[in-house]
Amino acid sequence: MRDAAPKTIYLADYTPYPWTVESVDLHFTLAPNATRVRSVIRFAPNPNASAEDAMFLHGEKLKLISAAIDGAPVTPDLSDEGLQVAVPSGAFTFEAEVEIDPANNTALEGLYMSNGMYCTQCEAEGFRKITFYPDRPDVMSVFTVTVEGPHPVLLSNGNPVLTQNHLAKWHDPWPKPAYLFALVAGDLVAHSDTFTTMSGRHVDLNLYVRPGDEGKCAFGMQALKASMKWDEEVYGREYDLDLFNIVAVDDFNMGAMENKGLNIFNSSAVLASPETSTDMNFERIEAIIAHEYFHNWTGNRITCRDWFQLCLKEGLTVYRDSQFTSDMRSAPVKRISDVIDLRGRQFAEDQGPLAHPVRPESFQEINNFYTATVYEKGAEVIGMLKTLVGDEAYYQALDLYFERHDGDAATIEDWLKVFEDTTGRNLTQFKRWYAQAGTPRVTLEENFELDTLTLTFTQHTPPSAATPDPQPQVIPIAVGLIYPDGTEALETRVLEMTKAEQSFRFTGLEDEPVASVLRGFSAPVVLTQNLSDTDRAHLLANDTDTFNRWEQGRTLARGSLLSMIRTGAAPDAKYLAGIHAVVTDTSLDPATRALMLGLPSQSDLATTLHDAGETPDPAAIYAASETMREALADTFSSDAAGLYAANTVTAPYDPGAEQAGKRSLSNAMLSLITRRDGGAAAQAQYDAADNMTQQLSALANLIRAGKGTASLTAFYDQWKDDRLVMDKWFGLQVMEAAPEDAAATAEALTRHPDFNHKNPNRFRAVFGALVMHHAGFHHASGAAYTLLADWLITLDPLNPQTTARMCSAFQTWKRYDAHRQRMILAQVDRILATPNLSRDTTEMLTRIRGA
Ligand code: BES
Ligand code: ZN
């Protein structure tokens, strides 16, 4: 039931749990509608907390069968949130038996079923839907788990200690919080391999999948072994069990979960084959496998004291997985992609009503705080720390972190302290990155006299509800100087800005250089640098920092698009010429050249316009972007076919960076060619494609050219039995729809027999694509707002988490004109008025509305 006054939880209210848990024994007797869970939990008074005589255990939607303390039956007080029971003063044993209904668990949190298989998702607060327990990350214990069920595969965390027919017993020697508990039971097949750790420990690796998916395991397994090796080489971190299992499930709210020794993955985040997965899928799978594996140290061995510290494990692990991808692939390409993502999602979040610090100070529903700010800005903060202290001190501090806090439930204070102790730095001001919401705006004034360049920076963070009075941040600004002849006047140097306004001088210069500022995007800020278009074109052509070359192209594109939107200007010739030069420069790698061709996203342009105090018109932004793409098609009219051919891969498919980069450039060319040839080249590519990257890109171009009907049908017939490919088929049609057709296309797809709103992947395929279609979602008819609201109302009682996440589509409402604002708010209010709306969705929409 919906709380009349939802409870807000505050970081400042933290108190330790009065007991420690010495051991947990769980016994599961699986049955779809009546699974029995018996628990035996050894409690002892927590020496670091004040004693209490009544114990609270979390528990939700549990049918209590029996409970006992030290063997004597007890009758606890039950509420919607858990149980309360009187307990003796010393150590004691609490036993309980509960019954749960996994078959009807559509929320996909706790123990649930997916295609006849049992699986769990406990982070953040799902364990309380399995049994009564102190479900908080600072309560860590050793788990022994027995699983009884009629399935060939019965898994839990740790090492197997007993395997019989229809029964398996598991023991995890590493103390862990309940959110890392996992159980899987099903008719699964294993793709197996082994890994020998740096100290010679032999580890069995298994990737468990549904029969039929065996052929999609090899890549994930390779990625796992590469991750294990990388963490040994770069962080000196070794795996600590004899067994590492990964299970793929089709119904999963998130990408994947780092349960100790038993990672559970959304099948879209692990299963891959060249025929069914795109290059982007392969790259994402490699990164997610690494991410979840890396959590074994940053998350599991060292966990979070409370959920306010979520960035301690997520920010750091995202940072680590981005380092891994940079090492496995191309560092500049990864950096550019991460910045595109940060600007698209985190900057928008920081600009709107959901803005919150990397470490929030209060929440109602923790599931709503797995955000771009906690994850991506959290990772940026770690990157800045590394930039400020240097590589050597960074890894020293990490060694100290692992040594000092292994086995702990730690805080951001603990994290910063290891850097202070390693380097002698005072990080008090730096800590504002964790405490303040909002994206700092940095403005640069340049002055050149005689042989001296003075760079004067000012910083200002717009106030928000979360941070009404922001203070200056520590901003590492990586700078280089380029002379007019293209040679380097100064190699990269990191300036440390700490004040609201600060100047830095560079003397002994032979000529007035162009300043290349915020290289590698050294801080998550919005930089305003009044460079002339000529200077930008100069950096685009000559900067020694690849990121900044891309950034200058991007800034030129943004500037030109904004003039087109504001004044109807024509596309900027300097931009087009500059881009033509870099994209045809074969000394650059194809992946970078493909990225250079990209335009700022339409929602990015809306963010920029809103920042400038203007009201973005989605239709005008769409039109300008289309005009610019047409201009690019003209600019490349005599090169496109040659570049397309030169970058077409003829060797057998390989998902690695080299081939993927070539395909991204050839497909970027295909989209320009399609604007001129009406779809002939796309059709040829479609007919010849032997991998999903080529097939899907060809199909997208055919749809855009208005020639997609036959191929969409053929694609459906070819792939109707492959769930993950069908998600692409659903999504692509919405993505490629004209703005005025997007909502109707999505609506029609919800009536397709293969649409299933209970499957988060399928729901997101349609609605994720709709909300990403800026001009389609914000079409003046308001049809997309209504359609999304209809479906959020339908999904909320079944799956509050996925519903609440999708609500963020409405977070930008204040940007738009009064008519759109009214339409969005009407839908937000209609959802909010739904009886029994979940706490998740209620919190999201109330915050978005800014009541
Ligand atoms: N611990 C999370 C999964 C999670 C998120 C559980 C939210 C419960 C609530 C996991 O480590 C994670 O962050 N997964 C990401 C992918 C990752 C590569 C950033 C995900 O699932 O999207
Ligand atoms: Zn994570």
Side-chain angles (χ1 to χ4, degrees):
M1 229 180 310
R2 179 168 151 199
D3 265 330
K7 245 191 253 145
T8 300
I9 304 172
Y10 295 92
L11 167 60
D13 290 346
Y14 173 82
T15 49
Y17 192 64
W19 293 272
T20 58
V21 176
E22 312 291 281
S23 66
V24 190
D25 267 88
L26 299 174
H27 188 116
F28 288 81
T29 310
L30 298 173
N33 294 109
T35 288
R36 288 286 174 110
V37 187
R38 280 185 276 143
S39 57
V40 181
I41 312 172
R42 278 297 295 165
F43 287 95
N46 181 350
N48 302 315
S50 40
E52 283 180 32
D53 49 16
M55 174 175 72
F56 176 77
L57 298 178
H58 295 106
E60 284 175 19
K61 301 194 166 101
L62 305 174
K63 186 162 141 198
L64 181 62
I65 307 295
S66 65
I69 289 181
D70 290 335
V74 290
T75 311
D77 289 339
L78 294 172
S79 70
D80 286 353
E81 276 115 58
L83 68 71
Q84 180 105 18
V85 66
V87 294
S89 58
F92 60 89
T93 302
F94 175 86
E95 286 170 77
E97 179 162 2
V98 303
E99 190 178 292
I100 51 180
D101 183 1
N104 283 308
N105 180 352
T106 56
L108 314 182
E109 191 188 40
L111 178 68
Y112 66 94
M113 297 192 76
S114 170
N115 296 315
M117 140 190 185
Y118 290 85
C119 64
T120 54
Q121 171 55 38
C122 293
E123 188 179 3
E125 298 181 333
F127 191 74
R128 61 190 65 182
K129 295 182 166 180
I130 294 176
T131 194
F132 290 102
Y133 196 76
D135 187 8
R136 38 186 287 174
D138 60 342
V139 175
M140 299 168 83
S141 188
V142 174
F143 283 64
T144 305
V145 178
T146 306
V147 190
E148 241 187 293
H151 310 276
V153 174
L154 303 168
L155 306 173
S156 190
N157 316 86
N159 299 313
V161 288
L162 180 74
T163 319
Q164 292 171 355
N165 208 11
H166 300 160
L167 187 143
K169 188 169 176 181
W170 293 81
H171 178 75
D172 181 1
W174 297 103
K176 67 168 175 289
Y179 82 85
L180 292 173
F181 167 81
L183 178 154
V184 168
D187 180 9
L188 301 170
V189 287
H191 175 101
S192 304
D193 208 327
T194 62
F195 182 83
T196 305
T197 70
M198 59 185 182
S199 73
R201 177 197 280 275
H202 175 96
V203 185
D204 284 320
L205 311 175
N206 298 296
L207 172 45
Y208 284 98
V209 299
R210 285 170 62 192
D213 286 337
E214 298 92 329
K216 293 184 175 182
C217 297
F219 180 78
M221 184 57 82
Q222 280 312 115
L224 174 60
K225 292 197 289 180
S227 308
M228 295 177 85
K229 188 135 189 56
W230 187 91
D231 213 14
E232 291 184 347
E233 285 172 355
V234 179
Y235 281 85
R237 296 295 118 199
E238 192 176 352
Y239 188 60
D240 54 5
L241 289 166
D242 306 332
L243 181 61
F244 189 82
N245 285 329
I246 292 180
V247 179
V249 323
D250 288 336
D251 298 281
F252 201 75
N253 281 331
M254 302 292 294
M257 177 64 208
E258 70 264 26
N259 317 299
K260 184 78 188 192
L262 179 54
N263 287 3
I264 298 183
F265 273 63
N266 187 321
S267 51
S268 74
V270 56
L271 299 182
S273 75
E275 296 74 30
T276 59
S277 314
T278 62
D279 291 334
M280 268 163 58
N281 295 149
F282 279 99
E283 185 177 332
R284 174 166 177 264
I285 288 167
E286 184 177 87
I288 301 198
I289 290 195
H291 179 97
E292 306 310 338
Y293 174 72
F294 295 160
H295 269 314
N296 191 55
W297 275 94
T298 51
N300 302 2
R301 288 285 286 263
I302 305 179
T303 193
C304 302
R305 186 193 71 172
D306 53 67
W307 292 119
F308 296 103
Q309 322 293 330
L310 182 59
C311 64
L312 181 73
K313 75 175 178 84
E314 294 302 347
L316 177 54
T317 306
V318 170
Y319 184 71
R320 275 152 50 70
D321 83 54
S322 74
Q323 288 182 296
F324 171 75
T325 299
S326 304
D327 285 354
M328 302 299 286
R329 292 165 181 264
S330 146
V333 168
K334 172 64 174 163
R335 188 63 189 140
I336 292 167
S337 320
D338 282 353
V339 172
I340 292 173
D341 183 62
L342 186 80
R343 284 185 176 141
R345 300 192 301 122
Q346 201 279 324
F347 282 21
E349 189 165 87
D350 246 350
Q351 197 191 49
L354 298 178
H356 57 275
V358 169
R359 183 171 70 174
E361 265 147 40
S362 69
F363 63 74
Q364 288 170 14
E365 173 50 63
I366 184 58
N367 281 319
N368 291 335
F369 282 87
Y370 287 75
T371 60
T373 298
V374 169
Y375 273 67
E376 273 72 40
K377 189 175 176 185
E380 291 298 318
V381 171
I382 288 169
M384 286 191 285
L385 204 46
K386 181 155 169 282
T387 302
L388 288 169
V389 304
D391 282 9
E392 206 184 314
Y394 172 82
Y395 287 107
Q396 275 171 11
L398 266 286
D399 284 345
L400 180 59
Y401 178 64
F402 293 123
E403 185 192 311
R404 189 184 278 176
H405 293 292
D406 188 11
D408 286 355
T411 60
I412 289 302
E413 283 72 19
D414 295 329
W415 163 254
L416 290 175
K417 187 80 168 61
V418 298
F419 281 86
E420 292 192 324
D421 290 353
T422 303
T423 63
R425 263 174 185 261
N426 180 331
L427 293 173
T428 310
Q429 187 186 358
F430 185 82
K431 198 176 168 191
R432 287 179 188 155
W433 280 110
Y434 288 99
Q436 295 191 167
T439 308
R441 307 303 199 258
V442 174
T443 306
L444 169 59
E445 297 287 341
E446 298 174 47
N447 181 45
F448 185 77
E449 265 173 67
L450 300 171
D451 70 342
T452 301
L453 176 72
T454 306
L455 302 181
T456 302
F457 294 93
T458 55
Q459 59 163 305
H460 162 78
T461 303
S464 57
T467 306
D469 185 23
Q471 300 300 305
Q473 304 271 24
V474 182
I475 303 179
I477 305 174
V479 173
L481 302 176
I482 306 287
Y483 280 129
D485 67 358
T487 60
E488 209 167 36
L490 178 80
E491 280 186 23
T492 303
R493 175 180 302 175
V494 179
L495 311 176
E496 205 174 314
M497 183 182 192
T498 55
K499 304 195 179 75
E501 182 177 327
Q502 214 163 336
S503 295
F504 301 87
R505 279 156 35 106
F506 303 87
T507 56
L509 297 166
E510 289 156 19
D511 196 351
E512 179 169 359
V514 182
S516 163
V517 179
L518 208 67
R519 284 184 156 181
F521 204 63
S522 56
V525 302
V526 176
L527 172 71
T528 304
Q529 178 182 11
N530 280 322
L531 275 188
S532 68
D533 284 2
T534 311
D535 284 345
R536 289 202 188 279
H538 183 63
L539 289 180
L540 172 60
N542 299 300
D543 203 325
T544 45
D545 182 70
T546 308
F547 174 84
N548 253 11
R549 289 185 73 173
W550 171 82
E551 178 78 327
Q552 297 314 322
R554 176 81 15 157
T555 307
L556 286 171
R558 186 180 295 114
S560 177
L561 283 160
L562 291 174
S563 313
M564 292 162 72
I565 293 161
R566 284 168 174 149
T567 68
D572 176 18
K574 277 208 191 72
Y575 160 70
L576 293 169
I579 286 297
H580 182 262
V582 284
V583 171
T584 51
D585 176 356
T586 49
S587 71
L588 276 168
D589 68 281
T592 308
R593 288 148 71 200
L595 282 168
M596 297 272 186
L597 262 177
L599 297 178
S601 75
Q602 293 173 42
S603 94
D604 233 44
L605 292 167
T607 308
T608 309
L609 285 162
H610 181 62
D611 246 351
E614 297 166 52
T615 303
D617 172 2
I621 294 174
Y622 177 85
S625 302
E626 279 298 297
T627 305
M628 186 65 99
R629 292 210 173 88
E630 283 294 312
L632 285 166
D634 287 339
T635 304
F636 285 89
S637 58
S638 52
D639 310 283
L643 285 171
Y644 176 73
N647 290 284
T648 296
V649 177
T650 49
Y653 182 88
D654 178 278
E658 202 186 314
Q659 278 197 11
K662 286 187 140 195
R663 279 187 290 270
S664 71
L665 184 54
S666 76
N667 281 318
M669 286 302 139
L670 181 65
S671 73
L672 298 181
I673 293 168
T674 303
R675 286 179 184 271
R676 295 290 169 268
D677 80 351
Q683 189 65 58
Q685 177 168 318
Y686 187 89
D687 294 338
D690 64 356
N691 65 74
M692 185 49 65
T693 307
Q694 296 300 89
Q695 192 178 11
L696 202 65
S697 156
L699 182 58
N701 278 293
L702 286 170
I703 300 173
R704 260 175 256 155
K707 307 265 173 63
T709 315
S711 299
L712 271 169
T713 307
F715 190 96
Y716 178 84
D717 290 337
Q718 185 182 357
W719 295 116
K720 57 181 179 301
D721 297 325
D722 188 300
R723 309 170 300 281
L724 298 174
V725 180
M726 283 316 294
D727 290 335
K728 301 184 200 309
W729 183 84
F730 273 87
L732 189 69
Q733 295 179 63
V734 180
M735 269 181 254
E736 299 304 338
E740 62 278 16
D741 299 332
T745 303
E747 199 275 332
L749 286 169
T750 62
R751 284 185 276 111
H752 192 281
D754 294 327
F755 181 73
N756 171 12
H757 63 287
K758 291 184 187 163
N759 177 261
N761 290 0
R762 193 58 49 90
F763 187 83
R764 277 191 292 253
V766 172
F767 289 101
L770 182 62
V771 307
M772 291 286 289
H773 192 315
H774 185 255
F777 184 60
H778 294 286
H779 189 264
S781 68
Y785 304 149
T786 311
L787 180 71
L788 179 64
D790 287 345
W791 281 96
L792 294 179
I793 289 169
T794 304
L795 190 64
D796 185 69
L798 301 169
N799 187 335
Q801 264 188 53
T802 292
T803 309
R805 296 200 136 248
M806 203 62 85
C807 286
S808 58
F810 293 125
Q811 73 176 316
T812 53
W813 66 277
K814 280 187 187 154
R815 283 176 184 171
Y816 298 100
D817 55 88
H819 178 60
R820 284 187 175 83
Q821 289 195 10
R822 267 196 305 277
M823 291 194 296
I824 296 174
L825 286 184
Q827 298 308 320
V828 167
D829 288 344
R830 182 162 71 93
I831 304 171
L832 276 171
T834 310
N836 300 323
L837 196 69
S838 69
R839 177 174 49 170
D840 310 53
T841 302
T842 306
E843 183 194 19
M844 285 296 279
L845 294 178
T846 319
R847 285 167 60 212
I848 286 171
R849 211 182 189 307

